[in-house]
């Protein structure tokens, strides 16, 4: 038996390496074209059913795991999670964005932009930490939203998460090739293959990016323990490089470079820069997806998340201060800020250290991203929103190989053809949207329990929550309007936000206390997280909202054609089985037994 398991048989006794219709479409709605036609005819009542549905923490962190046939392995400590957080966040962003934003938006005040963005990210990490301890699932924010806000909100979040995963990984892969070329002293496009027959923006093929993506994913598929160990070793190298940048930078620090004005572009410039450099912090939510593989998630996830995000914020502020102290902001090179600044200080060789640091950061980001995104995909597949085939965990490696391969293939195809400027145009508005939803989910969890919260308590809670959300949207919209320099709008919307948060604190009755770890200052902290995320969303251009709208519409089409029917069948599997027994009938296809 042991030999068979090693050869790839799962806990169900079925071989892991298999490929059949039943693995992809086990639900009765897809048993035949006739069944599917009947399901489509019942789309409206099924949508109504799913809109009102909520999952439970017992299902997300417990019974749904049976779909994977084999368990993910608990092998990580809080220190592993801290290094994973560091590896997922500290990539090339700080080396690329700092110079750009110091030169054109923030000037010497760029450390304040990093502090503002870090504050917003830290607020989100507190929300994630509590929810991860309460619902220690591989699904991360997908599971939290499915429990607290329902299937459709969770599905939209899931779709945006996977889209950002594919585009983000592709962008890192393309950047990896560019930095490798810089390390070799060559033009950034010299390692790519030019194909004139293809359209501009898609005519520079990047096979190196594909190799890097496949290699890092292969490591991730081999096991979370090995990936974590390699990431920790790489993070030690990264810390050494950051220490060098700080030591060398502050040894050439000239306070005169911060004059004559610390705010040459005003407060507006600092906030514009904060909206851009925020992307240097994205990726920390990958840590929450590792809760199912953590030895003690109630203790380890909050420690890992909050310690990594706090230290990263301090590091980013110091690195940006070192840059504007070495060189006056008007002289900073927006494309190679640290390399040019070190060269101006007589340290031309330091550009190789900077390129090495960026390469290390991108490699770690790809490693941790391959881990986290595969876990997201696994949990989504466990619910049958996508085929459950992608939820299967290999019995030997303890990793979701099919899910990892699916995300990697998507990223590799995009990375092979799409240039960096094309990928950059696909802005990560989804990330801020999801972070805001997670903060809302935390408030819903604290203030609403189905069957226990009275209608009056629910109305009070929803009224003040709506005031918080609408006031936050109002501040963001007002700041980006032609009235942005006038204070009455800020006063009105600010008072609305404060009244909403105070109303939650004073008038709404908390229905649940956290069992292990609780985010501090609830409802103020999640309400502030909502406000900061929506404010930063407002700094993005109309193209980002157009992309978000198009992608959301495409996701809803998929949900109507497939997701709603699969999840409806799963939720009502027991009802269908009882009806078949009562009428002496045999079901057209075996109904899945996984709870909703």
């Amino acid at each position: 038996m042991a030999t068979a398991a090693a050869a790839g048989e799962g806990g169900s006794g079925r071989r892991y390496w298999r490929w059949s219709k039943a693995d992809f479409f086990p639900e009765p709605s897809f048993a035949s074209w006739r069944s599917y036609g009947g399901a489509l005819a019942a789309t409206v009542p099924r949508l109504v059913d799913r809109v009102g549905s909520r999952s439970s923490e017992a299902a997300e962190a417990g019974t749904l795991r049976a779909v994977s046939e084999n368990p993910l392995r608990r092998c990580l400590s809080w220190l592993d999670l801290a290094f994973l957080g560091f590896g997922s966040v500290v990539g090339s962003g700080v080396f690329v964005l700092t110079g750009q934003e110091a030169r054109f938006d923030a000037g010497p005040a760029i450390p304040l932009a990093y502090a503002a963005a870090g504050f917003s990210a830290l607020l989100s990490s507190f929300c994630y930490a509590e929810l991860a301890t309460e619902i220690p699932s591989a699904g991360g924010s997908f599971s939290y939203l499915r429990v607290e806000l329902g299937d459709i909100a969770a599905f939209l979040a899931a779709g945006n998460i996977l889209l950002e995963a594919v585009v983000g990984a592709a962008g890192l892969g393309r950047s990896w090739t560019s930095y490798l070329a810089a390390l070799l002293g060559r033009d950034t496009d010299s390692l790519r293959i030019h194909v004139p027959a293809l359209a501009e923006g898609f005519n520079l093929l990047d096979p190196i990016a594909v190799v890097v993506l496949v290699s890092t994913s292969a490591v991730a598929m081999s096991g979370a323990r090995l990936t974590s160990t390699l990431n920790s070793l790489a993070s030690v190298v990264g810390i050494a490089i950051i220490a060098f940048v700080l030591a060398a930078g502050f040894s050439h620090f000239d306070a005169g470079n911060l004059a004559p004005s610390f705010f040459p572009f005003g407060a507006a410039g600092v906030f514009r820069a904060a909206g851009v450099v925020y992307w240097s912090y994205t990726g920390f939510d990958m840590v929450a997806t590792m809760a199912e593989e953590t030895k003690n998630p109630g203790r380890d996830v909050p420690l890992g998340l909050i310690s990594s995000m706090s230290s990263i914020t301090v590091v980013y502020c110091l690195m940006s201060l070192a840059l504007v102290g070495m060189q006056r902001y008007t002289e900073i090179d927006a494309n190679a800020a640290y390399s040019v600044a070190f060269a101006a200080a007589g340290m031309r060789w330091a550009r190789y250290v900077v390129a090495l640091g960026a390469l290390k950061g991108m490699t770690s980001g790809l490693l941790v991203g391959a881990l986290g995104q595969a876990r997201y995909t696994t949990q989504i597949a466990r619910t049958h929103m996508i085929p459950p085939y992608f939820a299967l965990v290999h019995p030997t490696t303890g990793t979701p190989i099919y899910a990892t391969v699916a995300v990697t293939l998507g990223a590799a195809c995009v990375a092979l053809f799409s240039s960096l400027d094309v990928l950059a145009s696909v802005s990560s508005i989804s990330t801020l949207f999801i972070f805001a939803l997670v903060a809302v989910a935390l408030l819903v969890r604290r203030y609403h329990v189905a069957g226990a919260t009275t209608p009056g308590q629910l109305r009070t809670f929803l009224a003040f929550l709506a005031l918080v959300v609408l006031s936050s949207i109002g501040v963001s919209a007002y700041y980006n309007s032609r009235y942005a320099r006038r204070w009455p709008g800020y006063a009105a919307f600010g008072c609305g936000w404060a009244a909403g948060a105070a109303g939650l604190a004073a008038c709404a009755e908390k229905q649940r206390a956290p069992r292990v770890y609780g985010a501090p200052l609830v409802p103020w902290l999640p309400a502030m997280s909502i406000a900061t995320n929506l404010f930063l969303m407002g700094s993005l251009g109309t193209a980002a909202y157009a992309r978000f709208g198009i992608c959301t519409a495409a996701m809803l089409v998929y949900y109507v054609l497939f997701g709603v029917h699969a999840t409806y069948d799963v939720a009502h599997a027991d009802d269908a089985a009882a009806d078949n027994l009562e009428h002496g009938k045999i079901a057209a296809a075996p109904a899945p037994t996984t709870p909703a």
Side-chain angles (χ1 to χ4, degrees):
M1 288 293 183
T3 304
E9 291 189 9
S12 65
R14 303 177 66 193
R15 292 189 63 83
Y16 184 79
W17 304 109
R18 60 184 193 257
W19 182 281
S20 70
K21 178 180 180 293
D23 293 313
F24 286 88
F25 303 104
E27 303 85 8
S29 290
F30 307 102
S32 66
W33 285 108
R34 184 173 183 177
S35 299
Y36 183 55
L40 288 179
T43 295
V44 173
R46 289 185 172 196
L47 275 173
V48 172
D49 176 87
R50 301 320 294 153
V51 166
S53 71
R54 298 292 183 274
S55 184
S56 67
E57 52 259 48
E60 295 297 315
T63 51
L64 277 175
R65 297 181 187 180
V67 180
S68 294
E69 297 185 359
N70 298 287
L72 295 166
R73 293 176 182 168
R74 293 193 181 277
C75 56
L76 303 176
S77 67
W78 77 267
L79 191 59
D80 294 318
L81 296 183
F83 275 118
L84 287 171
F86 186 88
S88 66
V89 174
V90 183
S92 61
V94 67
F95 293 103
V96 176
L97 296 177
T98 306
Q100 170 187 310
E101 293 308 304
R103 178 70 180 82
F104 299 116
D105 282 324
I110 186 66
L112 297 182
Y114 270 108
F119 175 70
S120 177
L122 191 59
L123 291 176
S124 293
S125 70
F126 276 110
C127 298
Y128 268 87
E130 175 174 334
L131 289 167
T133 59
E134 296 283 297
I135 311 169
S137 156
S141 54
F142 169 76
S143 291
Y144 315 151
L145 297 179
R146 193 163 180 259
V147 170
E148 302 302 338
L149 302 183
D151 263 18
I152 292 184
F155 174 77
L156 291 177
N160 280 287
I161 287 167
L162 294 180
L163 177 66
E164 295 299 332
V166 169
V167 172
L172 279 179
R174 300 281 296 200
S175 296
W176 204 98
T177 304
S178 297
Y179 270 91
L180 178 61
L183 194 61
L184 297 174
R186 303 174 63 175
D187 180 80
T188 54
D189 285 330
S190 62
L191 300 179
R192 299 187 175 106
I193 301 170
H194 183 229
V195 182
L198 296 177
E200 189 68 28
F202 302 92
N203 58 354
L204 288 173
L205 304 189
D206 197 334
I208 293 177
V210 173
V211 171
V212 171
L213 285 165
V214 171
S215 300
T216 52
S217 294
V219 173
M221 285 187 282
S222 65
R225 177 71 267 166
L226 174 62
T227 307
S228 176
T229 301
L230 291 177
N231 173 73
S232 298
L233 294 174
S235 294
V236 171
V237 174
I239 290 170
I241 292 172
I242 290 171
F244 163 78
V245 170
L246 293 178
F250 282 109
S251 66
H252 293 86
F253 191 91
D254 180 1
N257 289 329
L258 307 182
S261 173
F262 191 69
F263 295 95
F265 302 99
V270 174
F271 286 123
R272 280 197 307 272
V276 175
V277 302
Y278 186 86
W279 313 123
S280 297
Y281 290 96
T282 57
F284 71 84
D285 53 319
M286 294 297 101
V287 175
T289 68
M290 306 307 295
E292 197 172 310
E293 293 159 272
T294 303
K295 296 174 183 175
N296 185 353
R299 179 199 66 186
D300 295 342
V301 173
L303 276 175
L305 264 174
I306 296 167
S307 62
S308 61
M309 288 309 300
S310 301
S311 60
I312 288 166
T313 300
V314 172
V315 165
Y316 280 176
C317 290
L318 290 175
M319 286 184 69
S320 57
L321 180 60
L323 177 65
V324 292
M326 275 196 297
Q327 197 170 36
R328 193 176 297 275
Y329 82 94
T330 54
E331 300 170 0
I332 288 175
D333 187 298
N335 297 314
Y338 287 93
S339 297
V340 172
F342 282 128
M347 302 171 65
R348 289 186 176 276
W349 54 269
R351 69 188 179 95
Y352 297 107
V353 178
V354 173
L356 182 63
L359 278 177
K360 173 267 145 198
M362 287 181 282
T363 304
S364 295
L366 287 170
L367 272 175
V368 181
L371 273 182
Q373 297 301 346
R375 273 71 184 163
Y376 270 126
T377 306
T378 298
Q379 190 71 9
I380 297 167
R382 286 170 173 174
T383 68
H384 291 236
M385 283 189 182
I386 61 176
Y389 183 77
F390 297 106
L392 299 177
V393 172
H394 194 276
T396 303
T397 65
T399 58
I401 291 180
Y402 294 135
T404 308
V405 169
V407 176
T408 303
L409 285 178
C413 290
V414 174
L416 180 62
F417 293 99
S418 304
S419 66
L420 282 174
D421 55 345
V422 171
L423 294 173
S425 68
V426 185
S427 176
S428 295
I429 186 174
S430 308
T431 305
L432 289 167
F433 174 68
I434 292 165
F435 288 173
L437 282 180
V438 168
V440 170
L442 177 60
L443 288 172
V444 171
R445 183 168 184 82
R446 289 288 194 100
Y447 287 92
H448 175 257
V449 175
T453 306
T454 66
Q457 291 170 333
L458 180 59
R459 284 192 294 270
T460 300
F461 165 66
L462 290 177
F464 287 117
L465 176 61
L467 188 55
V468 167
V469 173
L470 293 175
S471 298
S472 300
I473 294 173
V475 170
S476 180
Y478 190 81
Y479 180 78
N480 290 281
S481 73
R482 59 193 179 96
Y483 304 106
R485 295 183 179 275
R486 303 179 184 178
W487 64 266
Y490 297 111
F493 289 119
C495 288
W497 178 89
L504 287 173
C507 303
E509 185 177 342
K510 288 184 181 178
Q511 303 292 300
R512 187 184 344 235
R515 293 188 293 266
V516 181
Y517 166 83
L521 301 176
V522 175
W524 298 97
L525 185 147
M528 180 59 72
S529 180
I530 293 169
T532 56
N533 283 302
L534 292 178
F535 183 83
L536 291 175
M537 282 179 68
S539 69
L540 303 173
T542 54
Y545 285 92
R547 193 277 309 176
F548 179 72
I550 292 170
C551 292
T552 299
M555 291 168 195
L556 286 173
V557 169
Y558 168 85
Y559 186 73
V560 169
L561 294 178
F562 177 83
V564 67
H565 307 296
T567 54
Y568 180 88
D569 283 349
V570 171
H572 296 276
D574 293 337
D575 296 340
D579 185 64
N580 287 331
L581 286 174
E582 181 181 347
H583 293 87
K585 297 177 181 177
I586 300 176
T593 57
T594 307

